[in-house]
Amino acid sequence: MADLQWYPGHMTKARRMMEENISLVDLVIELTDARAPFSGRNPDIDTLARGKARMLLMNKADLADPVRTQQFCTAFEEQGIQCVALDARNRRMNDQIRKRVQEACREKLERNRKRGILNRPLRAMVVGIPNVGKSTFINSFAGKASAKTGNKPGVTRGKQWIRLNKELELLDTPGILWPRFDDQEVGIRLALIMAIREEILNEQELAVYLLNYLKADYPEALTQRYGTPDKPLDLSKKEHELFTQIALNKQLIARGQTPDLDRACRMLLEDFRTGRLGRITLERTAGTDMEVEAEGGQAEQELQTEAAGNEEE
Ligand code: G4P
């Protein structure tokens, strides 16, 4: 995992930018990827956003397992973070997000009111790791009608704020958070959702991980997409045989009439990323370990341990 795009120089710069911008806002709107909500969050965000109102958007929820998205939202809300599941490409959730913004900033608004400050809009910034949908969200949320403030002739040069309404202004450039790279499995998930460049891991490695994960958690996604009535997919087989069967069923044949396993791997990754395999989430609320079963009291206990762990980060 050494040659990620986030080498230390990059990270220091991003951190400095974040610290500078966060100091200007009341609220931090953080985006994570609903397909890997833990891995998609930056480990340092709690420190960076200390003292600020917080909101978490589970983006790309259109591609994620809706049941798990709901479980994650509940878990985050239990940590006191307003959470909304979202497809940032459409504006349907805008009203709800605005309401939640007010909710998240209630204490701040209350304080302002007591101090006689009544007409000051809340200021927010959007943050998240690369490719999570920050720009898409800003465009949808702010819309075309919103006027930009600042950087006008005669106005002091500074940050660009997008005025959404008289209650809320958004910093027009999102804060780019560096992905976590403390754990190989997290790295794999981030590569699967394209949050980090996949060259750091080869496609076969990613595809094998995904195949095994799907076998355990979403077997029907595999059997429905790659099996046929007369050639059903036999999930008791090992990876190599399974990819061979997938290649044969999908007529991916290499030269010499052999099954093209490279193409089968690429197809699996592509089908996952585009949602053709259905709505899939790579993590469970119970923990990031594949072996952990998210059921019953044990899951509840693990959820709390996880939440406590996150708080400490
Ligand atoms: P960033 O600023 O955080 O780096 O991310 P950006 O908005 O550029 O979004 C990255 C990609 O994710 C874009 O696709 C965007 O369309 C897509 N995207 C953003 N939000 C959602 C969402 O909620 N659901 C889905 N399914 N996709 C989302 P792209 O392929 O890079 O570009 P394009 O296909 O839009 O041209």
Side-chain angles (χ1 to χ4, degrees), residues 203-245:
E203 277 183 337
Q204 279 87 345
E205 248 182 283
L206 286 181
V208 165
Y209 178 93
L210 182 61
L211 182 81
N212 285 323
Y213 181 81
L214 295 172
K215 264 170 77 174
D217 274 40
Y218 296 96
E220 291 89 26
L222 289 172
T223 51
Q224 279 168 17
R225 179 123 188 109
Y226 303 122
T228 62
D230 49 329
K231 291 179 200 152
L233 211 57
D234 181 356
L235 293 184
S236 66
K237 296 276 192 276
K238 287 257 181 255
E239 300 106 16
H240 187 270
E241 280 175 88
L242 263 174
F243 275 118
T244 303
Q245 206 189 340

Side-chain angles (χ1 to χ4, degrees), residues 140-176:
S140 299
F141 191 53
K144 289 199 185 79
S146 55
K148 285 194 177 173
T149 63
N151 272 11
K152 288 177 203 141
V155 176
T156 325
R157 278 193 61 209
K159 306 283 171 196
Q160 289 258 1
W161 297 92
I162 307 170
R163 173 164 274 213
L164 282 104
N165 52 37
K166 62 181 189 328
E167 284 154 6
L168 184 60
E169 288 184 357
L170 203 60
L171 191 61
D172 80 337
T173 40
I176 302 170

Side-chain angles (χ1 to χ4, degrees), residues 113-137:
R113 202 169 42 236
K114 279 189 185 141
R115 288 157 60 197
I117 305 167
L118 291 176
N119 295 318
R120 195 162 74 197
L122 291 166
R123 287 194 151 176
M125 78 180 278
V126 174
V127 305
I129 62 170
N131 219 27
V132 72
K134 298 178 293 298
S135 313
T136 310
F137 170 68

Side-chain angles (χ1 to χ4, degrees), residues 86-94 136 140:
L86 184 72
D87 171 353
R89 295 165 309 168
N90 84 49
R91 299 176 180 179
R92 251 199 349 248
M93 299 303 279
N94 280 3
T136 310
S140 299

Side-chain angles (χ1 to χ4, degrees), residues 174-312:
I176 302 170
L177 292 169
W178 49 101
R180 53 199 320 158
F181 35 114
D182 45 354
D183 174 316
Q184 177 78 13
E185 214 174 318
V186 165
I188 292 174
R189 292 191 199 112
L190 292 175
L192 284 170
I193 62 170
M194 305 267 269
I196 55 178
R197 289 183 307 179
E198 68 188 67
E199 300 98 81
I200 56 150
L201 296 150
N202 68 40
E203 277 183 337
Q204 279 87 345
E205 248 182 283
L206 286 181
V208 165
Y209 178 93
L210 182 61
L211 182 81
N212 285 323
Y213 181 81
L214 295 172
K215 264 170 77 174
D217 274 40
Y218 296 96
E220 291 89 26
L222 289 172
T223 51
Q224 279 168 17
R225 179 123 188 109
Y226 303 122
T228 62
D230 49 329
K231 291 179 200 152
L233 211 57
D234 181 356
L235 293 184
S236 66
K237 296 276 192 276
K238 287 257 181 255
E239 300 106 16
H240 187 270
E241 280 175 88
L242 263 174
F243 275 118
T244 303
Q245 206 189 340
I246 290 172
L248 292 173
N249 284 6
K250 290 290 172 188
Q251 281 144 22
L252 305 176
I253 306 299
R255 245 183 269 157
Q257 292 306 302
T258 52
D260 193 334
L261 301 187
D262 283 348
R263 273 172 70 203
C265 285
R266 276 202 299 279
M267 181 180 63
L268 180 72
L269 295 174
E270 184 70 11
D271 284 351
F272 164 70
R273 288 169 178 156
T274 53
R276 279 195 287 266
L277 276 170
R279 297 174 68 175
I280 286 161
T281 298
L282 299 174
E283 294 171 345
R284 308 191 191 105
T285 41
T288 49
D289 189 345
M290 255 186 71
E291 268 71 52
V292 179
E293 281 301 325
E295 277 171 19
Q298 189 199 350
E300 194 57 42
Q301 202 180 344
E302 277 155 359
L303 184 70
Q304 278 167 16
T305 315
E306 182 87 31
N310 277 352
E311 230 128 60
E312 277 160 29

